[in-house]
Amino acid sequence: MATIRPLFIASIGNPSPNYTNTLHSAGHTVLTHLTTWLYSPPFEKSRPYASGLLSPSQDFTLWQSPSLMNLSGKPVATAWRTFLSSLSAPEDKRAARLVVVHDELELPIGKIKVREGKGASAKGHNGLKSVLGALPGMEFTRIGVGIGRCASRESRDVAAYVMRKMTPAEVEIMADVAGQVSEVVREMRRGVR
């Protein structure tokens, strides 16, 4: 019989309202849509969870980092520890999993990539580098949300690309991506993945 795992699903990106629906905050956009797919309550600010936006439900806890992307590590670590302390049963604490949803420049828009385990590289993603630095050696699942890549490899052009607002069509794609992510986290919760 599969184990039912408590899941803490965290998105990293830049904070709203200034960065709402930018490509770099695709993780936040997907998590917002995920509340519908998972029948979760609306997000509310939570001081114990590093002042991030929290949507707790019986099956899943969703959380959006309040920090700038490159400084995500400390708030993710604080929120993760708060989540663990909220679990009363020792077996739940052992089975609990952290899932980090983030933008992925190397994937076409609308695609996701799931990476699990220790030691996976941040592949140049400064938000993931920050999380890895704050939780050294910890195994967690990453779900990269494709945002595509601009033609140029110049850092200035890439920065401008990821900081741009999504088009309405891209926001709709992110709503569909949330459906893909919901399938992954449901499998994880049941211990199938």
Side-chain angles (χ1 to χ4, degrees):
M1 186 164 128
T3 303
I4 299 298
R5 289 190 174 119
L7 292 184
F8 185 72
I9 306 165
S11 63
I12 58 175
N14 289 318
S16 58
N18 293 345
Y19 300 101
T20 300
N21 292 336
T22 60
L23 290 172
H24 209 27
S25 294
H28 290 337
T29 303
V30 167
L31 226 64
T32 297
H33 289 291
L34 197 57
T35 60
T36 301
W37 285 94
L38 298 178
Y39 308 104
S40 298
F43 282 100
E44 292 185 9
K45 188 172 182 176
S46 174
R47 209 174 275 282
Y49 283 83
S51 294
L53 297 177
L54 185 70
S55 172
S57 69
Q58 182 177 347
D59 296 330
F60 302 94
T61 299
L62 309 179
W63 177 83
Q64 293 182 355
S65 174
S67 72
L68 292 169
M69 173 69 85
N70 296 353
L71 304 174
S72 298
K74 186 175 178 185
V76 169
T78 297
W80 170 244
R81 287 197 268 300
T82 301
F83 173 72
L84 286 177
S85 71
S86 75
L87 302 173
S88 54
E91 60 273 12
D92 285 346
K93 289 180 192 242
R94 283 191 300 276
R97 295 287 300 272
L98 170 63
V99 179
V100 176
V101 182
H102 61 90
D103 64 309
E104 184 65 61
L105 196 59
E106 300 301 330
L107 281 178
I109 192 157
K111 301 291 182 192
I112 66 169
K113 183 171 186 176
V114 180
R115 287 183 289 197
E116 300 183 61
K118 282 190 223 177
S121 166
K123 296 191 178 203
H125 193 292
N126 290 327
L128 286 176
K129 285 179 187 176
S130 180
V131 173
L132 289 166
L135 296 167
M138 187 180 139
E139 186 173 324
F140 63 94
T141 300
R142 305 166 206 189
I143 301 178
V145 175
I147 61 169
R149 178 178 261 295
C150 63
S152 172
R153 296 280 180 172
E154 293 295 322
S155 61
R156 180 182 57 230
D157 297 334
V158 172
Y161 176 76
V162 300
M163 298 307 287
R164 79 164 172 79
K165 292 278 190 182
M166 293 179 201
T167 66
E170 289 169 335
V171 172
E172 281 303 311
I173 289 170
M174 293 301 153
D176 293 339
V177 167
Q180 296 173 51
V181 172
S182 75
E183 291 174 23
V184 171
V185 298
R186 282 185 172 115
E187 287 177 356
M188 288 181 68
R189 176 149 168 78
R190 291 191 314 267
V192 177
R193 190 183 254 285

